[in-house]
């Protein structure tokens, strides 16, 4: 089983949003095989609680603009690990210490990594010569 095209498209939207707010160590994992509830986990790291919250807010805003419906949000009050569930795509925004502690990459190490292209397609189109 592999992640759906729509899940991969939304993962790119979320990754570009996280990158725009200085999210670090972005990793997308195709969890569609072992996990029937989601296709992709996107992991991102923020350097501080404030950065974690800014990344999560930007991801949520851009995902909603892309037509994704937020199903669940957890962890906003602490700003250490914010989970944003959009159904097929689940975004985990960690404080760097929590990312190391929980080590989801190790837990899901058998899942394929999805390559991320952080280039904004709208910006690339705007810069293309006519």
């Amino acid at each position: 089983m592999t992640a759906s095209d729509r899940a991969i498209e939304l993962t790119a939207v979320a990754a570009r949003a996280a990158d725009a707010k200085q999210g670090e160590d972005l990793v997308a994992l195709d969890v569609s095989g072992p996990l029937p509830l989601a296709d992709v986990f996107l992991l991102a790291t923020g350097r501080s609680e404030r950065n974690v919250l800014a990344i999560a807010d930007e991801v949520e805003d851009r995902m909603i603009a892309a037509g994704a419906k937020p199903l669940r949000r957890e962890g906003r009050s602490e700003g250490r690990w914010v989970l944003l569930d959009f159904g097929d795509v689940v975004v985990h925004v960690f404080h760097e210490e929590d990312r190391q502690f929980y080590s989801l990459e190790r837990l899901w190490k058998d899942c394929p990594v999805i390559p991320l292209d952080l280039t904004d397609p709208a910006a690339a189109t705007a810069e293309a010569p006519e």
Side-chain angles (χ1 to χ4, degrees):
M1 212 178 228
T2 60
S4 69
D5 290 341
R6 178 66 175 153
I8 291 171
E9 175 187 323
L10 289 173
T11 300
V13 169
R16 286 191 296 270
D19 184 59
K21 292 296 181 179
Q22 287 73 50
E24 298 175 351
D25 300 325
L26 300 172
V27 176
L29 301 172
D30 183 339
V31 296
S32 62
L35 192 63
L37 303 173
D39 281 358
V40 178
F41 279 180
L42 176 65
L43 312 177
T45 301
R47 291 174 310 250
S48 66
E49 288 85 355
R50 182 179 217 148
N51 187 217
V52 167
L53 295 174
I55 293 166
D57 288 345
E58 187 71 10
V59 167
E60 187 169 25
D61 290 347
R62 290 202 199 179
M63 291 288 278
I64 291 169
K69 181 181 178 188
L71 303 177
R72 188 174 62 166
R73 296 173 213 94
E74 292 184 18
R76 281 190 191 265
S77 60
E78 295 85 23
R80 302 289 301 180
W81 177 1
V82 177
L83 180 139
L84 302 169
D85 183 353
F86 295 95
D88 288 343
V89 177
V90 177
V91 180
H92 300 267
V93 184
F94 291 96
H95 188 282
E96 52 196 341
E97 294 165 0
D98 293 74
R99 173 109 178 236
Q100 289 175 6
F101 179 79
Y102 289 104
S103 189
L104 290 187
E105 292 97 332
R106 187 172 43 85
L107 181 65
W108 297 99
K109 68 182 176 200
D110 294 335
C111 295
V113 174
I114 299 169
L116 295 172
D117 179 6
L118 300 177
T119 307
D120 184 355
T125 304
E127 293 175 8
E130 293 183 30

